Amino acid sequence: MYTVEEFDKEKSKVMNYIMYKKRTEREVKNKFQNTIQSDILCDIIDYVKEAGYLDDSDYIKRAVLEFMSLKNLSIKEIKYKLYTKGVGKDKIEDYFYEHKEELQDYERKSARNIFIKKKTTMENDEIAIYLAKKGYKEETIKEVLECKTY
């Protein structure tokens, strides 16, 4: 067992880490697994989850909104970035199912932005290969290449 003072001291470290930048549960575990006893760490994680400071579903929402506002990514790339942060596959799939239309619109706009940027230096078939490598769906690539308004 451990004392309240130990718990508070270690909790402060974890809270500083979480408050600096939104984190996933796995990121917190990985960061502190070698420096904090596992029983204290589990209790701290439970505590911060109950307090609402650590929520993987909220992390997904915030991360996706950030990606959508700052970058041109395919849905596949966004999912991969979330997987690498340690977010559970079920939570990711649930979020993407619930926001399917919005994410498909974003992916089309993103592919269109890439096409516009690359069309001066690349041929259409090269752009199609580039988009496919980035994880864009075949139908999205065809749609972007067939549109003549830009």
Side-chain angles (χ1 to χ4, degrees), residues 20-88:
Y20 179 73
K21 176 182 163 190
K22 271 291 189 189
R23 311 286 181 168
T24 64
E25 186 176 337
R26 189 174 104 191
E27 286 179 300
V28 174
K29 283 181 182 176
N30 289 345
K31 170 76 173 169
F32 295 105
Q33 68 185 359
N34 296 326
T35 58
I36 299 177
Q37 294 176 20
S38 62
D39 57 336
I40 297 176
L41 183 58
C42 287
D43 289 344
I44 291 170
I45 288 174
D46 289 342
Y47 174 82
V48 295
K49 284 172 72 174
E50 283 180 30
Y53 293 109
L54 192 63
D55 182 2
D56 284 355
S57 297
D58 184 52
Y59 181 87
I60 293 169
K61 179 180 161 189
R62 289 173 180 260
V64 168
L65 290 174
E66 183 179 317
F67 294 146
M68 288 172 67
S69 64
L70 298 176
K71 301 181 180 198
N72 289 318
L73 301 172
S74 67
I75 291 173
K76 195 179 232 179
E77 286 177 300
I78 294 173
K79 284 182 180 180
Y80 178 76
K81 287 180 178 287
L82 293 170
Y83 290 139
T84 60
K85 292 292 185 177
V87 180

Side-chain angles (χ1 to χ4, degrees), residues 72-136:
N72 289 318
L73 301 172
S74 67
I75 291 173
K76 195 179 232 179
E77 286 177 300
I78 294 173
K79 284 182 180 180
Y80 178 76
K81 287 180 178 287
L82 293 170
Y83 290 139
T84 60
K85 292 292 185 177
V87 180
K89 184 177 182 175
D90 292 342
K91 289 184 180 182
I92 294 171
E93 293 302 329
D94 288 346
Y95 180 86
F96 279 73
Y97 180 77
E98 291 170 13
H99 298 87
K100 188 177 182 178
E101 294 295 322
E102 176 186 349
L103 288 163
Q104 287 175 339
D105 288 343
Y106 162 74
E107 186 175 58
R108 278 195 282 297
K109 289 176 188 171
S110 178
R112 196 173 305 123
N113 290 342
I114 291 171
F115 176 78
I116 291 168
K117 187 190 270 186
K118 300 280 185 191
K119 74 178 181 178
T120 58
T121 59
M122 297 170 80
E123 296 295 322
N124 282 2
D125 56 339
E126 293 174 309
I127 297 171
I129 292 169
Y130 177 80
L131 291 171
K133 285 181 182 176
K134 302 235 344 136
Y136 287 90

